[in-house]
Amino acid sequence: MEVDLRKANELFHDVESNVYDSKWGIRYDSENALRVKHKFEKLLGGPFPRVDKLLEVGCGTGYVGLNLSLNEGLVGELHACDISQGMVDACARNAEELGVAVEARQAELEELDYPSDEFDIVIGHAVLHHIPDVEKGLSEILRVLKPGGICMLAGEPTVMGDVMGRVARTGTLKAVQVYAGMGGYFGGVKAKLRPQGEGGADDHEIQEFERVVDIHTFWPPSVCRLAKKVGFAQARFEAEELLSSFVGWMTRTVENALSEDNLTFRWRNWSYHTYLRLSVLDEKIYPYVPSSLFYNMLLYLRKGG
Ligand SMILES: C[S@@+](CC[C@H](N)C(=O)[O-])C[C@H]1O[C@@H](n2cnc3c(N)ncnc32)[C@H](O)[C@@H]1O
């Protein structure tokens, strides 16, 4: 059966928008404002410049755009778009709570509803791997960028990173199921598996959907070649998250598999801070380990002019 991947993405993310921030532990605060800024600074190789007009594509609930805007005076006008109206609404709600001005609208990356030569910077996080036609998506970004403008895409799974993520997920799920089956304890009470269908992200059909909408994993040099082919003057990449990603997939699998009663505040705090500590360690080992092993690709593209 032919699947409409754009429609599937829209429906899946509409459902996910209700649980997205809690599922992925997304926070909007000064710590994350700096984390997001540093992510892009690693790619820029220097300080993030003050930007007049910034567009976030595939904004979801606003993780990168809103957190970047929390850095005083960094972003002039923030625009955000997503194929899912549910995500656009969630982003607008988060912006309102944070007191950040955003012009958010529903738009597909492959057909951006913005004039040409409009933005100084286009950013995206974990979006390119959902786009059926990557070449068309990159061409649209090129079109809406001002001459000399830059695009930075982060959080895109590499081929090797994806293999390691799968190993972490399947191994952890098996272990949790066996442990709960043996009557083991977790968080001070008997480990209980979460019933299917409790909350959007845990529903079996939704999980099947997730496999469909995660369309690509990337071999970074090939994406750079493609970006040059569509007309970018410069294309290069970095990578991030090795140990943090492996352990992060394990802890998230535990959280998705076990009942809420098992997931104490102490556990959630531990898993979040372990992820942060391992991210710091990953940065330290980055110069010594092949970048293709890291989970996430960061892409830097510059339009000529
Ligand atoms: C994994 S989420 C990432 C959301 C957010 N950027 C973040 O990092 O939390 C991917 C997002 O891309 C959006 N998306 C998927 N296909 C898209 C398309 N063709 N055009 C625009 N957005 C799309 C989804 O609706 C979803 O919000």
Side-chain angles (χ1 to χ4, degrees), residues 30 35 49 64 71 84 90 117 120 130 140 179-180 194 198 215 217:
S30 50
R35 261 174 66 73
V64 282
N71 291 282
S84 149
D117 302 335
D120 301 284
H130 292 298
E140 271 297 84
Y179 185 69
R194 202 182 270 266
E198 185 192 277
I215 304 172
T217 53

Side-chain angles (χ1 to χ4, degrees), residues 26-130:
I26 291 180
R27 302 181 190 190
Y28 304 88
D29 51 28
S30 50
E31 191 185 337
N32 280 282
L34 275 182
R35 261 174 66 73
V36 170
K37 185 157 87 77
H38 285 156
K39 193 184 281 292
F40 291 118
E41 285 179 338
K42 171 172 180 173
L43 199 48
L44 283 163
F48 199 105
R50 193 201 173 279
V51 49
D52 286 338
K53 237 176 166 180
L54 182 141
L55 170 67
E56 179 179 6
V57 290
C59 62
T61 53
Y63 171 55
V64 282
L66 296 181
N67 268 313
L68 257 189
S69 301
L70 290 180
N71 291 282
E72 193 68 42
L74 197 66
V75 180
E77 262 179 47
L78 173 65
H79 295 253
C81 69
D82 198 288
I83 197 171
S84 149
Q85 185 62 48
M87 287 295 196
V88 172
D89 294 342
C91 177
R93 273 196 307 276
N94 282 338
E96 200 176 340
E97 272 171 33
L98 293 165
V100 171
V102 63
E103 153 63 38
R105 68 169 77 154
Q106 187 182 26
E108 269 185 48
L109 178 50
E110 302 92 321
E111 281 173 40
L112 287 174
D113 179 19
Y114 297 95
S116 302
D117 302 335
E118 184 74 358
F119 297 100
D120 301 284
I121 295 185
V122 173
I123 54 166
H125 185 258
V127 58
L128 203 62
H129 67 283
H130 292 298

Side-chain angles (χ1 to χ4, degrees), residues 161-162 164-165 168-169 240-252 275 278-279 282 293-296:
D162 185 59
M164 284 195 288
R169 289 198 294 272
E240 64 176 5
E241 300 198 356
L242 180 62
L243 302 169
S244 56
S245 159
F246 195 79
V247 174
W249 277 117
M250 292 172 80
T251 54
R252 270 197 303 278
Y275 167 77
L278 289 175
S279 302
D282 284 341
L293 288 180
F294 282 68
Y295 186 78
N296 280 322

Side-chain angles (χ1 to χ4, degrees), residues 126-284:
V127 58
L128 203 62
H129 67 283
H130 292 298
I131 306 300
D133 189 339
V134 173
E135 186 168 344
K136 203 162 169 214
L138 292 178
S139 305
E140 271 297 84
I141 293 176
L142 182 70
R143 181 184 67 76
V144 301
L145 275 173
K146 288 180 185 167
I150 56 175
C151 164
M152 290 184 282
L153 301 175
E156 301 298 346
T158 61
V159 174
M160 291 299 287
D162 185 59
V163 171
M164 284 195 288
R166 277 174 208 273
V167 170
R169 289 198 294 272
T170 41
T172 306
L173 186 59
K174 260 268 132 332
V176 172
Q177 286 167 337
V178 169
Y179 185 69
M182 283 165 36
Y185 278 70
F186 199 95
V189 289
K190 272 213 162 157
K192 197 167 121 228
L193 294 176
R194 202 182 270 266
Q196 295 280 314
E198 185 192 277
D202 305 309
D203 188 279
H204 184 65
E205 281 179 19
I206 293 294
Q207 284 177 356
E208 284 299 313
F209 239 142
E210 190 159 23
R211 272 187 273 279
V212 173
V213 300
D214 282 343
I215 304 172
H216 308 282
T217 53
F218 296 105
W219 187 245
S222 308
V223 191
C224 289
R225 275 196 293 277
L226 186 63
K228 288 260 182 76
K229 185 181 151 206
V230 306
F232 278 99
Q234 199 186 346
R236 54 181 174 74
F237 68 92
E238 299 284 347
E240 64 176 5
E241 300 198 356
L242 180 62
L243 302 169
S244 56
S245 159
F246 195 79
V247 174
W249 277 117
M250 292 172 80
T251 54
R252 270 197 303 278
T253 303
V254 169
E255 284 160 14
N256 286 333
L258 286 180
S259 123
E260 280 301 316
D261 299 342
N262 295 120
L263 305 173
T264 57
F265 174 76
R266 209 163 142 218
W267 156 269
R268 287 198 190 273
N269 216 26
W270 176 85
S271 64
Y272 180 67
H273 285 101
T274 300
Y275 167 77
L276 292 186
R277 277 192 286 272
L278 289 175
S279 302
V280 174
L281 184 59
D282 284 341
E283 285 310 295
K284 292 206 169 112

